[in-house]
Amino acid sequence: MNLSESHLPTQFDAWLKRKKIPWAVVIILLSAIIFFLEFPHSLKLGDSGVLKNAGYAAIVVSYGLTCLTASRYFLKKVNLSLQPLTDNFRKNEKKGFGFEWQISLLTCVVLTSLFLITFPDFAQVSREKTFWLFAAGTALANLAFGWIMFSIMSGANQITKLVSVIDLKNIFDRTPFYPVAQWCLAMAASIMGAVTIATLFLREDMLIQINLFTYAIALFVGDFVFFAGMWTTHLLMKRRKQEEIKKLDYQLSKLHNEILKKMDENEAEKAETFLSLSAHLSAQKKLIEDVPVWPYTIGNLGGLLTSVSVPVIINILLRLLN
């Protein structure tokens, strides 16, 4: 994996790059197809139906794909920051995260099946051709949703592989790992942003079973991605911290034995020297014990809390206004 391709975590990303197809073209084309597939049936529900169904689906898909495009910037920052800490990333590189289209199609089948099962008056509306166009648009949106979820997990897997081959020497410097936390926050905030859009568009329709199921997945994935994306980094930082503490404990134990030996031999001056060295090592150990073992900052946590709170606040305000 070279650096120019290291921020492209999926086969579809790589294919678009090879064909030189801009992401903007894919986003506009897919959103337009979904809108025009869902438009005829949505039109029967009036202007609000068009907005809540065809317009909502197209906007959410375009938003999700746009966020993924932006996430490539953060993945590139992660690679630029962490690759200098690895000796030979290509040699240690493992097979990428597989089953891209299998996972995407499975998500599409599950969500579309739930959509059909829970659709009001399904027996009656299923006789209309416009409904099946609407269902096709929904299936396409669900396929995009499944691929977006896969892409996020694939990006996390790419970071995990990179962190696994890092030789961390300076445990006091968390700076190289900050882009990992930034990518995780960007992904979590993007997912919460989708929930916010849903709240604004659907309002009371958020309580429909299919919507609750979809957004419960999104909320779980948002929080999961934030912490799971940093898990391997956390384990690396924690392991290196414990190794340094273990080394100091060994040295402190040896010094303690020497101090007792010199005191028994009435060599107070040498015992005092060893005591001074022991105090220095103890202070160093205290510094190491205070080293954080997560790459996030207080600002990252504040950003996560804000992104999670916004959909809830908006939903409450809308209900109060209604």
Side-chain angles (χ1 to χ4, degrees):
M1 180 186 295
N2 58 54
L3 189 56
S4 64
E5 296 179 350
S6 58
H7 59 291
L8 303 175
T10 70
Q11 297 173 8
F12 188 54
D13 283 301
W15 182 82
L16 290 177
K17 184 177 179 65
R18 288 195 302 271
K19 299 297 182 180
K20 298 181 180 180
I21 301 175
W23 252 111
V25 172
V26 177
I27 294 172
I28 294 172
L29 183 60
L30 183 60
S31 300
I33 291 173
I34 291 173
F35 179 81
F36 285 112
L37 283 173
E38 295 192 351
F39 180 79
H41 188 75
S42 300
L43 192 61
K44 297 181 179 180
L45 305 176
D47 294 337
S48 62
V50 173
L51 182 65
K52 285 187 178 182
N53 292 291
Y56 161 71
I59 288 176
V60 167
V61 168
S62 62
Y63 167 82
L65 294 176
T66 301
C67 288
L68 278 186
T69 305
S71 78
R72 303 303 184 253
Y73 165 77
F74 290 102
L75 270 182
K76 189 171 184 178
K77 284 186 64 177
V78 170
N79 280 274
L80 288 171
S81 182
L82 297 187
Q83 281 194 4
L85 302 180
T86 64
D87 293 330
N88 192 343
F89 180 53
R90 187 176 183 84
K91 179 180 178 181
N92 291 283
E93 185 183 359
K94 301 175 182 177
K95 186 178 179 181
F97 199 56
F99 304 104
E100 177 172 347
W101 296 111
Q102 293 90 329
I103 292 175
S104 302
L105 286 171
L106 178 61
T107 304
C108 172
V109 169
V110 171
L111 292 180
T112 304
S113 298
L114 283 171
F115 162 77
L116 294 173
I117 292 171
T118 59
F119 198 89
D121 301 323
F122 174 75
Q124 180 178 351
V125 297
S126 62
R127 302 171 185 173
E128 303 174 12
K129 293 181 179 179
T130 56
F131 170 77
W132 290 109
L133 288 174
F134 184 86
T138 300
L140 189 58
N142 289 335
L143 179 64
F145 176 77
W147 184 83
I148 289 170
M149 292 298 102
F150 171 85
S151 184
I152 292 173
M153 296 303 177
S154 184
N157 179 65
Q158 183 182 119
I159 293 173
T160 297
K161 290 193 299 179
L162 186 56
V163 171
S164 68
V165 295
I166 284 178
D167 182 17
L168 181 60
K169 294 181 172 65
N170 184 5
I171 66 171
F172 294 99
D173 184 15
R174 290 192 298 161
T175 306
F177 298 110
Y178 284 162
V180 176
Q182 292 168 356
W183 178 86
C184 294
L185 176 61
M187 291 299 91
S190 297
I191 294 170
M192 295 305 108
V195 177
T196 301
I197 292 175
T199 303
L200 290 171
F201 268 84
L202 300 181
R203 299 188 180 185
E204 72 276 7
D205 292 342
M206 282 282 287
L207 298 178
I208 294 177
Q209 183 179 358
I210 178 61
N211 291 329
L212 282 176
F213 181 78
T214 302
Y215 301 120
I217 293 176
L219 286 168
F220 169 77
V221 171
D223 291 332
F224 176 79
V225 162
F226 181 76
F227 290 102
M230 292 182 282
W231 184 249
T232 305
T233 307
H234 162 67
L235 293 180
L236 171 65
M237 297 171 72
K238 182 179 178 181
R239 176 175 60 80
R240 287 292 294 117
K241 176 178 176 178
Q242 291 174 339
E243 289 173 353
E244 293 299 318
I245 290 176
K246 187 176 180 180
K247 291 178 183 177
L248 287 175
D249 283 338
Y250 175 72
Q251 295 296 329
L252 285 169
S253 178
K254 286 178 62 178
L255 279 174
H256 179 70
N257 292 333
E258 287 295 327
I259 291 169
L260 293 178
K261 181 179 178 182
K262 296 305 178 184
M263 291 179 67
D264 289 340
E265 296 173 354
N266 293 321
E267 297 184 29
E269 186 175 339
K270 289 185 177 181
E272 186 67 28
T273 300
F274 286 136
L275 280 170
S276 177
L277 182 56
S278 177
H280 174 75
L281 291 180
S282 295
Q284 181 73 7
K285 179 182 176 181
K286 180 64 169 63
L287 286 174
I288 294 176
E289 287 175 340
D290 292 337
V291 170
V293 292
W294 286 92
Y296 59 72
T297 63
I298 295 298
N300 296 141
L301 289 178
L304 178 66
L305 181 61
T306 300
S307 65
V308 170
S309 302
V310 167
V312 178
I313 294 172
I314 290 178
N315 195 37
I316 292 174
L317 290 176
L318 289 174
R319 288 182 175 278
L320 290 176
L321 291 175
N322 289 333

